[in-house]
Each structure stands twice: as C-alpha cells, then as structure tokens.
Amino acid sequence: MFRKNYSIIVILSLSLLLVLTVAPAAIATEDICKSKSKLDLKIEKTKELESSGINKMLDKKIQKYYQENNVIDASKLTDLNSPEDKKIIKQIENDMDKFNSRLNKEKTNEDSSIGTLSLGDESPTGTNSISYTAFEDGDMIVVHDGICAYGYYRHAGTYDEDNGKFVSAQKSEQGNGTGVIWEDKDWYRNNYDEAAGYWVPDYDNEIRNEIRNFIIDYLKEQLGDNYAFTSFYNRDSWYCSKLPWVGWKEYYSVDLNGTGGLCLPDDLAFSNETSRFAYSD
C-alpha cells in the first residue's frame, strides 16, 4: 500500500512540475504565434496588393492627381516662423477648414457621411470598407477625399491595438475633439472616399513588438495636446502625420519624412521606409 501511494505521489509531483515548467513556455509560444500570425497576414496582404495590380492602379491614380492639381510642396517649409512659410501653412489650414466645414454641414443635416461632398472631378462616396485585420501598433492609415491643397491624402492616424482606435490630431472639431485625440475605425470608413494602411517593414527586428509598444505608448502620452504645424523637435503641439513621424524616428531611428519640411500624410505613404498593406475605396 505504501509503495502504491508513494508512486502516486511521485507521479503527481512530476506532473505538477511539468505543468509549472511548460505552462509559461506554452503561453509565450502562444503569444509569439499570435504575433507571427498578424505579421504573416500583413506580409501576405502587402504581396496581394502588388500581385493584384492594385498598387499599380493606385500609384497611377496618384500620379495623375499630382499632374492635374497644384499641390503645395511641403518640403520647402524649412522655417515655419518665416512669413513665407506661415503664408503657405495658412493655405493648408484654409483647405482643412473648408473640408471640415462641409463635413460638419453634412452632419448637421443628420448625415453621418460626406457622400454629397464634391471637391474634385470624381463624385465622392464618402465611405470606404478598409479592413483592419492586419493593423498593429504603430501602423498608419491615410485617407483621401476630393481635391486637397497639400496632397492626395488629407488625414492620417496611428493605430493602437489595445484600444482598437487611432491616435491622431484635428485642427477643428469634427465630433472627436480637437488637438491630439482618439479616432475610431468607423470614423475613417464613414468619412472618406479612400483609405490605405501603411507599415514600416520591421519583420527582421527581434523586439518589434516592444518597439511598436514604445511608439504607440509615446503617442498616447500626447493625447490632449494642442494642434499646430510645428517642427519635429517641438513636443508641445502636433498635427496628424507628425505623430507617427516623431514616434518612428525616436524609437526605431526611421525617418518617414524623406523630403524634409512638414511631414504630411503623403510623406508617410510615399516614404521609402513604408509599404502599403491595406486599401479600399
């Protein structure tokens, strides 16, 4: 009887030890698999946009847009306090105010979209169906609607996985507040003709998740700050695309603004450091 009970005790002890040893490793492996699955999906989506011809179509469309419209060259804005730069910034802000006022007018008429807005030759739908399944911390969304004085894309946000929202910045009230704010995923789907997702291909970085966490945590620290077109080194006020520009440069030494001057949404999209992984019109 003693031997039998002793054997049972030994077996139970070994089983408990095995559980205690294997459980943390299993949890860690599960987390890694989840992370890899998201990364694999993003790589897959990136390749699909290229192989399907969507990238070629969109690049051609953007090129035509630049040929047909007089777009402000933000790379020339190197002294934001100079009278010349202030004049150009005022043009950008006037364009933003024009769009925002029309957007708010549509919402005043109890319309949650801007489907009747027409700033260009094409009739905007005001909506898109971009998928967020491959978005991770630090990934960027850029959106297009009509003719914009400062580029093809008029707004940008940076994704936070934990909250399932974007950290961004708005000059004027559109329903989410002003300055550095949260914007939910439906905001980008319901208010713009086109949306595209961009990421920094950092798959060869062993601590990519940690770095992405650092980036988005830093951006969340800026929530509530004021909106203004300020330089990279000014950390008191922000505009939408300055947020990811600063985050990625500070925590991954990647400069998303290869042209210099202001870092506008187009700079994020056209940077040699980013790649498109999601698109919808």
Side-chain angles (χ1 to χ4, degrees), residues 61 66 80 101 112 146 165 253:
K61 186 176 183 180
Y66 266 81
L80 301 182
S101 65
S112 62
K165 296 182 178 182
S253 299

Side-chain angles (χ1 to χ4, degrees), residues 64-65 68-69 117-124 144 146-147 193:
K64 181 181 179 182
Y65 175 92
E68 296 180 350
N69 297 286
L117 178 64
S118 181
L119 298 179
D121 295 333
E122 298 179 6
S123 177
H144 165 82
I147 296 175
D193 284 351

